[in-house]
Each structure stands twice: as structure tokens, then as C-alpha cells.
Amino acid sequence: MIWVRGFLAPLNSGELVQFEIAKTVGKAQLIIDNWKTSGKYEQVVKSTSFAYVFMILYTLAIALGCRFISACTGNEIMIKGGRGFAWLILVATTCDVVENIALAHTIRGPISQWDVTIAYDLARVKFSIVIVCLLFMLACTLYWAVGKLAGEK
């Protein structure tokens, strides 16, 4: 991630997220026009390719994280939840792939409401699932830490 940030500079991830959730053709067009005038447009085009590598990495990290930290708890319900969340992150990744295709269409033009709406809706689903998975890992970590502090084996 650090290397990609440097490679895509001066473009930042906040700008990409704003584009993902543009919601309207007018806002998407305004963002693209801003990128073109500020010299960031080529970086945005590159970022759509790098996004696939990032998708693989975050999917693996979150899926393995859910499985690992839930197994560390020793709680059967948490372990089953970890397996479920490891599969659920694949839904987020599928949303991300389709979203990225819609964003690439939007960036290269012409901009359609269909692509902007698909990107917006799937970004919301993706971010929601990722947040839920991260919260699950946090809950498992807290459960495990409290168990260790209480002297459980």
C-alpha cells in the first residue's frame, strides 16, 4: 500500500473514495474534470489496474484474519463466525470487482448514470462488509485478550 501510494502520488485514496461514492453523473464528471486539470487523470487510470492487486491482498488478509483470530479465541461460535466472515469477504471482493469495472467505464467515458449508480451502490455494500469483518476481528481480539487477562488457557 505504501509503495502504491507513492507511485500514484499526488492522487490520494480519499479522492478515489469520493469518486466511488459520487452517486451522480454531474459529481463524477466534476471529479474527472478536476483530475484532468490537476494532472491526476493518468494516475487515476493506473489506479484502476492496481485496484485488482489490492483486492486480492485485502481479501486474503481479512479472510485469514477472521479465521485466525477467531480460532485463537477457542470459542466455537467465534470460530464458526470466522469461517462465515472469511467467505463473506468474497462477496465484498465480488462487489469491488464489478464496482471497479464500472469506475473504469466512467473514467474512460462516456459517463453513464448506470455505471455511476452501480459503483455507488456496490461501494456501499463493499465498505459495509469490510467494516463488519474488521469489527468481527476486533471483537475476537477483545474476547481473546480478556480471556488471556482472566487466565484462561
Side-chain angles (χ1 to χ4, degrees):
M1 283 181 57
I2 294 169
W3 178 82
V4 170
R5 278 186 181 173
F7 185 73
L8 294 177
L11 184 66
N12 66 58
S13 58
E15 291 174 289
L16 293 171
V17 171
Q18 287 302 312
F19 185 63
E20 289 176 350
I21 59 172
K23 195 175 184 178
T24 65
V25 169
K27 188 171 181 183
Q29 185 66 59
L30 187 65
I31 292 169
I32 292 170
D33 291 343
N34 183 23
W35 285 335
K36 286 180 178 178
T37 59
S38 64
K40 296 178 182 180
Y41 182 76
E42 291 303 318
Q43 299 305 84
V44 171
V45 173
K46 287 181 190 177
S47 77
T48 58
S49 298
F50 283 117
Y52 294 105
V53 174
F54 184 69
M55 287 176 212
I56 292 167
L57 294 175
Y58 85 73
T59 301
L60 287 172
I62 293 174
L64 293 173
C66 286
R67 295 290 303 262
F68 175 76
I69 196 65
S70 66
C72 289
T73 67
N75 180 301
E76 195 58 38
I77 293 172
M78 294 285 205
I79 294 169
K80 287 180 182 178
R83 286 188 212 122
F85 283 112
W87 285 106
L88 184 62
I89 198 65
L90 293 175
V91 174
T93 305
T94 303
C95 290
D96 206 1
V97 168
V98 175
E99 171 200 340
N100 201 54
I101 292 167
L103 291 174
H105 288 160
T106 303
I107 290 166
R108 289 175 178 87
I111 299 175
S112 74
Q113 186 61 53
W114 172 257
D115 285 331
V116 173
T117 300
I118 289 293
Y120 174 79
D121 289 342
L122 292 179
R124 290 176 49 190
V125 171
K126 170 193 70 177
F127 287 131
S128 297
I129 292 171
V130 168
I131 289 167
V132 167
C133 288
L134 293 174
L135 289 172
F136 173 77
M137 289 191 297
L138 177 62
C140 287
T141 302
L142 291 173
Y143 184 91
W144 172 80
V146 168
K148 287 295 179 188
L149 290 173
E152 292 179 8
K153 294 182 182 185

